[in-house]
């Protein structure tokens, strides 16, 4: 009899910590452990050296495409969506973090050539839908996808092909992770957008989907400049999702279970507002595991006296962005 699964299950049980890690005296220590697990990225780049690549005026918003220096020689592209009916006051801003696909263009509803199209896909044009609610939306191009793939992957027949394995596996050899690199780049984007006169730096939120949900979760854990967070198509347990099937290498962070299960880690966002959106038929992050994690999150939020800051929407659908309740929730929390 093959007892490998039994062995792995016992190892999992041996590493899981208890709920009391989340009392207010242990939270900072856990965050430090999370930061260490993601890997440290020293940055010698002081200046952003911004460069505007394109400006467009669309029906409901202005679209600016630009790039800045993130870490050392890395340049990260950004789409910045600004409502046409901009109010005189500073505006709330949402970081829209896309998942697997062809990158930040897909988050807006553009095709791979940057042209408007009818294709919706699993991202459901969420960035464009958010800007229509009167907030500034910043869509960073997450490394490994779309135009931020390795050169050898740019000519792949399928535009949905990514460079996650190649980048992530090499970083692991250096004691770093792809998740950590992505989080550090988003923190750098936060630094940059705080310099905008039109951005209310006290009203910055994040909306992350799938792999972008991972980035949104860990960035929100480590950076309290993010005041409200939506995780779509990401919450689960490591045991019931990441360990139960093949996932992208960006999900595998060495030693993360020695710090806590996914729900315990995400609970480090408490008492700041958190919304969970999940499709009832999502095969990557199954609903039964979402409910297990939500029960744990609720206990922890209650311990902080912040249960009203935690909400969820389970919709009829699969691994995709819905937005029927999450968009309005996020806007309300940032206004």
């Amino acid at each position: 009899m093959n007892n490998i699964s039994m062995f792995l299950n016992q190892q999992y049980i041996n590493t899981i910590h208890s709920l009391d890690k989340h009392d207010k005296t242990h939270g900072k220590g856990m965050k430090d452990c999370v930061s260490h697990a993601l890997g440290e990225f020293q940055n010698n780049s002081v200046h952003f050296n911004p460069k505007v690549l394109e400006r467009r005026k669309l029906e409901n918003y202005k679209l600016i495409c630009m790039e800045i220096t993130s870490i050392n020689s890395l340049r990260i592209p950004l789409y910045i969506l600004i409502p046409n009916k901009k109010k005189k006051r500073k505006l709330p801003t949402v970081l829209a973090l896309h998942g697997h696909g062809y990158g930040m263009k897909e988050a807006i509803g553009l095709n791979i050539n940057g042209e408007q199209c009818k294709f919706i896909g699993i991202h459901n044009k969420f960035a464009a839908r958010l800007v229509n609610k009167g907030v500034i939306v910043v869509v960073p191009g997450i490394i490994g996808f779309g135009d931020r793939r390795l050169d050898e992957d740019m000519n792949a027949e399928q535009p949905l092909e990514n460079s996650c394995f190649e980048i992530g596996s090499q970083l692991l050899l250096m004691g770093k992770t792809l998740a950590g690199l992505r989080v550090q780049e988003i923190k750098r984007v936060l630094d940059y957008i705080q310099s905008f006169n039109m951005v209310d730096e006290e009203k910055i939120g994040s909306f992350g989907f799938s792999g972008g949900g991972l980035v949104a979760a860990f960035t929100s854990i480590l950076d309290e400049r993010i005041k409200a967070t939506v995780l779509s198509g990401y919450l689960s347990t490591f045991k019931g999702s990441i360990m139960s099937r093949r996932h992208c290498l960006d999900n595998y962070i060495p030693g993360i279970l020695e710090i806590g299960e996914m729900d315990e880690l995400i609970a480090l966002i408490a008492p700041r507002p958190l919304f969970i959106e999940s499709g009832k038929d999502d095969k990557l992050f199954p609903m039964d595991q979402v409910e297990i994690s939500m029960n744990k999150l609720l206990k922890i939020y209650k311990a902080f006296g912040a249960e009203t800051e935690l909400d969820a929407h389970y919709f009829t659908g699969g691994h995709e962005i819905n937005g029927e309740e999450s968009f309005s929730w996020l806007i309300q929390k940032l206004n």
Side-chain angles (χ1 to χ4, degrees):
M1 178 180 176
N2 190 328
N3 61 357
I4 298 174
S5 295
M6 184 182 300
F7 169 79
L8 290 173
N9 187 58
Q10 186 59 54
Q11 298 307 301
Y12 167 81
I13 293 171
N14 291 343
T15 59
I16 292 302
H17 293 198
S18 60
L19 180 64
D20 62 9
K21 290 178 295 186
H22 280 272
D23 66 35
K24 295 173 183 176
T25 61
H26 286 76
K28 185 179 186 302
M30 285 187 70
K31 290 183 181 182
D32 290 341
C33 290
V34 169
S35 180
H36 180 74
L38 289 171
E40 300 295 329
F41 289 86
Q42 294 182 346
N43 186 14
N44 298 322
S45 300
V46 177
H47 302 293
F48 294 108
N49 301 313
K51 180 180 180 181
V52 175
L53 304 176
E54 179 187 10
R55 296 180 187 267
R56 285 194 227 177
K57 187 169 183 179
L58 302 176
E59 183 178 356
N60 297 317
Y61 61 92
K62 299 178 184 69
L63 178 65
I64 301 172
C65 182
M66 63 186 308
E67 65 176 20
I68 62 171
T69 299
S70 60
I71 301 172
N72 298 331
S73 60
L74 277 179
R75 299 280 285 173
I76 181 170
L78 311 169
Y79 274 133
I80 302 173
L81 288 63
I82 305 170
N84 282 339
K85 295 182 179 179
K86 182 182 178 299
K87 299 178 181 179
K88 293 183 179 180
R89 63 179 175 86
K90 292 185 176 183
L91 293 179
T93 299
V94 175
L95 290 169
L97 306 179
H98 63 80
H100 289 71
Y102 59 85
M104 61 185 194
K105 295 172 184 174
E106 189 174 352
I108 298 173
L110 305 178
N111 64 21
I112 58 174
N113 298 315
E115 301 164 343
Q116 288 189 289
C117 63
K118 295 181 179 179
F119 174 74
I120 295 177
I122 59 177
H123 284 82
N124 207 2
K125 301 184 178 181
F126 78 111
R129 292 170 65 192
L130 281 166
V131 74
N132 288 336
K133 292 188 174 291
V135 298
I136 296 168
V137 180
V138 178
V139 188
I142 294 179
I143 193 166
F145 302 125
D147 294 334
R148 299 200 74 202
R149 291 174 289 173
L150 294 170
D151 289 344
E152 55 263 37
D153 295 327
M154 291 299 294
N155 296 321
E157 293 183 9
Q158 298 296 325
L160 300 185
E161 290 291 328
N162 60 69
S163 299
C164 295
F165 182 85
E166 291 82 354
I167 300 172
S169 58
Q170 292 185 45
L171 286 171
L172 286 173
L173 292 175
M174 307 169 200
K176 306 176 189 298
T177 66
L178 180 53
L181 174 57
R182 289 171 174 170
V183 168
Q184 290 299 319
E185 282 206 307
I186 299 307
K187 292 176 73 172
R188 181 74 165 161
V189 171
L190 275 169
D191 294 340
Y192 180 63
I193 64 175
Q194 280 191 306
S195 67
F196 291 3
N197 290 330
M198 59 187 170
V199 168
D200 187 335
E201 60 185 69
E202 295 300 320
K203 297 180 178 181
I204 298 176
S206 65
F207 190 116
F209 169 64
S210 191
L214 181 156
V215 180
F218 282 98
T219 306
S220 297
I221 289 167
L222 298 175
D223 199 321
E224 294 190 1
R225 288 178 293 179
I226 296 179
K227 305 303 182 183
T229 302
V230 175
L231 303 180
S232 177
Y234 178 65
L235 179 71
S236 184
T237 62
F238 289 121
K239 175 66 174 175
S241 176
I242 308 306
M243 294 174 65
S244 69
R245 57 168 296 140
R246 289 187 180 181
H247 274 270
C248 179
L249 190 62
D250 60 1
N251 287 285
Y252 300 90
I253 302 168
I256 198 68
L257 274 170
E258 294 183 316
I259 306 170
E261 245 292 6
M262 186 187 295
D263 42 32
E264 296 177 303
L265 300 175
I266 291 175
L268 291 169
I269 296 172
R272 284 171 290 150
L274 174 64
F275 191 100
I276 302 301
E277 177 181 270
S278 186
K280 296 177 182 177
D281 298 318
D282 191 332
K283 306 302 182 187
L284 296 179
F285 299 90
M287 180 53 59
D288 63 327
Q289 299 301 307
V290 175
E291 291 175 335
I292 289 171
S293 287
M294 275 300 298
N295 287 335
K296 179 71 72 66
L297 281 171
L298 183 57
K299 289 179 182 178
I300 295 170
Y301 266 75
K302 282 183 175 179
F304 278 89
E307 58 266 36
T308 59
E309 300 299 333
L310 178 67
D311 208 346
H313 178 212
Y314 305 147
F315 61 90
T316 301
H319 190 61
E320 59 193 301
I321 291 176
N322 178 267
E324 289 180 5
E325 296 184 15
S326 57
F327 292 165
S328 297
W329 178 92
L330 184 56
I331 301 304
Q332 185 268 326
K333 291 296 181 182
L334 294 178
N335 278 314

